[in-house]
Amino acid sequence: MRALDSKLPQVGTTIFTLMSQLAEQHRAVNLSQGFPDFRPPLELLELVERALAGRYHQYALMPGSMALRAAIADKLAALYSVRVDAAAEVTVTSGATEAIFDAIQAVVRRDDEVIVFDPCYDSYEPSITLAGGRTVHVPLTGSRFGIDWDRLKSALSARTRLVIVNSPHNPSGALLDSADFERLAELLRSYDCYLLSDEVYEHVVFDGAKHATALAHAELRERCVAVFSFGKTYHATGWKLGYAVAPAALTAELRRVHQYVTFASTSPLQQALAEYMTAHPEHHLKLPEFYQERRDYFARLLAGTKFRPLHAAGTYFQLADYSAISSLPDVEFARWLTIEHGVATIPISVFYREPPDARLVRFCFAKENATLDAAAERLRRL
Ligand code: PMP
Ligand code: GLN
């Protein structure tokens, strides 16, 4: 047989896996891959046990448990005043990653262009490539990682099929506000183009800011798939559950893909989440404060080091400039820091098509204070 021609020749092992493996190998404090080291709420875990002891062992409904979709619709109404039809517009997926993949396969055809903003989450481009599309990279600008509207305008064309935005933004923590969505709506108005809005960190916003969802913009709502993740909201990234919200016709196409990617997502966890969301609608209301305390705690620790933190408006990531410590490029710096000094981070150049000449790494601060203390003790020695 001929050697297999890769459909994704540019793709290697993800930076998250590489850095977590390196961290384990060198017993480093792992602030690289984004996951909390604290547990989901105890009551949620009890509900999972109850679901497992009960009758939730067979396939869930293809679009997701009806109870869970109803809880999601209630939440969107209460939190964002966004009304959705739980039956026709909400689809539960195996993580936001699956929702992103399904949405891209549903709308992108051969040679269609998809605009992404760099630094850009790593799953978008491979999903676009597998759909036969072309990824057009538009860099975010400045230390606040804002959209350069002129560059976006020049990138848009009749070939553009999809634009992908991510707010709160991984890895920069930048937020889009409702004025940004208004501007985006104006630019997209004359194109036959969809919007994929990755809002997995919707509850991790700081300093009194409110998350702006693309779904709240009436015009964008018509062309938008918004994706969310239970992993982020319930400190359970390993459960791999998320959901997509889109108008009925778009949802129908997304489900055509979903039903042949996973068919349905894990049923006992869906049941437990539905019950927990109904009993504890206040859970996510406490998350901004919960994570802001961690952000501020970590910022105080970094103040005792030579790292210079950038402004962090949202997400559980903190970017920091290391140019006072080293002139190594970030991938080498991150390896050196892990191997020689026992702290693992994520270099951010890997999220760019054309990396800027910056000396930035990303720390994940979704960690117990003791973990952050242990990292800081090592970082102070640099
Ligand atoms: N989008 C972004 C921006 C993320 O950071 C993540 C989390 N890793 C995902 C999507 C994927 O979420 P999930 O773990 O639910 O698949
Ligand atoms: N989204 C997580 C991060 O940004 C990692 C997800 C993964 O490992 N694929 O760190």
Side-chain angles (χ1 to χ4, degrees):
M1 256 198 3
R2 270 197 309 132
L4 185 60
D5 236 0
S6 177
K7 291 174 114 178
L8 296 171
Q10 325 292 355
V11 165
T13 305
T14 81
I15 192 68
F16 308 116
T17 304
L18 288 177
M19 292 312 300
S20 277
Q21 277 172 351
L22 199 65
E24 196 162 322
Q25 212 177 322
H26 294 275
R27 304 220 175 120
V29 181
N30 188 2
L31 304 188
S32 63
Q33 191 177 26
F35 59 86
D37 72 350
F38 32 84
R39 284 158 69 86
L42 194 58
E43 207 177 315
L44 173 57
L45 298 180
E46 286 165 2
L47 288 168
V48 172
E49 280 176 25
R50 209 175 310 154
L52 283 170
R55 61 192 171 83
Y56 296 95
H57 301 287
Q58 312 312 329
Y59 297 123
L61 293 180
M62 181 275 278
S65 125
M66 201 55 238
L68 183 56
R69 282 183 285 151
I72 291 167
D74 288 347
K75 172 181 165 180
L76 289 169
L79 197 58
Y80 304 122
S81 304
V82 167
R83 316 239 157 244
V84 301
D85 176 345
E89 298 186 310
V90 179
T91 309
V92 178
T93 56
S94 296
T97 309
E98 197 225 334
I100 290 164
F101 184 84
D102 295 349
I104 290 171
Q105 301 307 311
V107 305
V108 177
R109 289 133 212 250
R110 179 163 303 284
D111 297 330
D112 281 347
E113 290 187 355
V114 180
I115 296 177
V116 302
F117 295 95
D118 285 357
C120 149
Y121 187 61
D122 72 337
S123 86
Y124 304 157
E125 182 154 15
S127 307
I128 296 162
T129 306
L130 287 176
R134 261 184 14 88
T135 308
V136 176
H137 294 258
V138 174
L140 296 169
T141 56
S143 63
R144 293 290 177 114
F145 293 84
I147 293 181
D148 180 335
W149 298 101
D150 290 332
R151 284 189 83 152
L152 173 59
K153 203 168 168 183
S154 336
L156 282 163
S157 78
R159 288 187 301 277
T160 313
R161 182 71 171 165
L162 179 68
V163 173
I164 306 181
V165 293
N166 169 216
S167 173
H169 179 251
N170 177 10
S172 74
L175 308 181
L176 294 176
D177 61 19
S178 49
D180 293 315
F181 282 120
E182 182 54 40
R183 205 138 177 204
L184 190 60
E186 273 166 34
L187 282 184
L188 297 190
R189 198 165 292 150
S190 39
Y191 296 101
D192 189 19
C193 155
Y194 292 94
L195 176 69
L196 174 54
S197 186
D198 178 343
E199 304 183 16
V200 299
Y201 299 102
E202 64 182 318
H203 301 303
V204 194
V205 291
F206 309 128
D207 306 317
K210 275 190 103 51
H211 171 65
T213 172
L215 297 173
H217 191 288
E219 205 180 330
L220 290 178
R221 164 98 166 88
E222 294 304 307
R223 53 171 88 212
C224 174
V225 181
V227 303
F228 302 89
S229 171
F230 290 112
K232 317 289 173 196
T233 301
Y234 296 97
H235 318 317
T237 59
W239 291 6
K240 291 304 298 184
L241 270 183
Y243 54 99
V245 180
L250 194 46
T251 290
E253 287 305 315
L254 184 146
R255 287 181 186 171
R256 284 190 161 145
V257 180
H258 165 71
Q259 79 172 343
Y260 294 117
V261 173
T262 54
F263 178 69
S265 298
T266 177
S267 71
L269 296 180
Q270 289 195 55
Q271 177 59 26
L273 280 163
E275 289 177 32
Y276 189 79
M277 284 176 82
T278 311
H280 292 285
E282 80 293 348
H283 166 82
H284 55 261
L285 300 177
K286 294 192 214 137
L287 289 180
E289 193 189 333
F290 174 81
Y291 275 115
Q292 185 168 325
E293 272 173 25
R294 289 191 143 64
R295 177 198 65 169
D296 294 346
Y297 187 78
F298 188 56
R300 283 196 294 277
L301 293 174
L302 276 187
T305 74
K306 289 190 186 147
F307 284 91
R308 192 179 56 80
L310 269 59
H311 178 69
T315 77
Y316 46 55
F317 302 118
Q318 173 71 62
L319 289 185
D321 184 302
Y322 61 85
S323 42
I325 300 166
S326 166
S327 56
L328 283 174
D330 64 355
V331 173
E332 287 167 46
F333 177 77
R335 281 187 63 80
W336 172 80
L337 190 63
T338 310
I339 296 169
E340 302 295 333
H341 296 280
V343 180
T345 59
I346 296 287
I348 73 156
S349 62
V350 300
F351 301 128
Y352 285 88
R353 156 107 8 129
E354 287 172 24
D357 184 26
R359 301 276 174 274
L360 294 174
V361 286
R362 187 196 81 177
F363 293 95
C364 172
F365 57 77
K367 305 292 173 191
E368 300 283 6
N369 288 354
T371 310
L372 299 176
D373 290 341
E377 195 196 317
R378 296 167 183 206
L379 297 177
R380 272 194 295 268
R381 292 191 211 127
L382 291 165

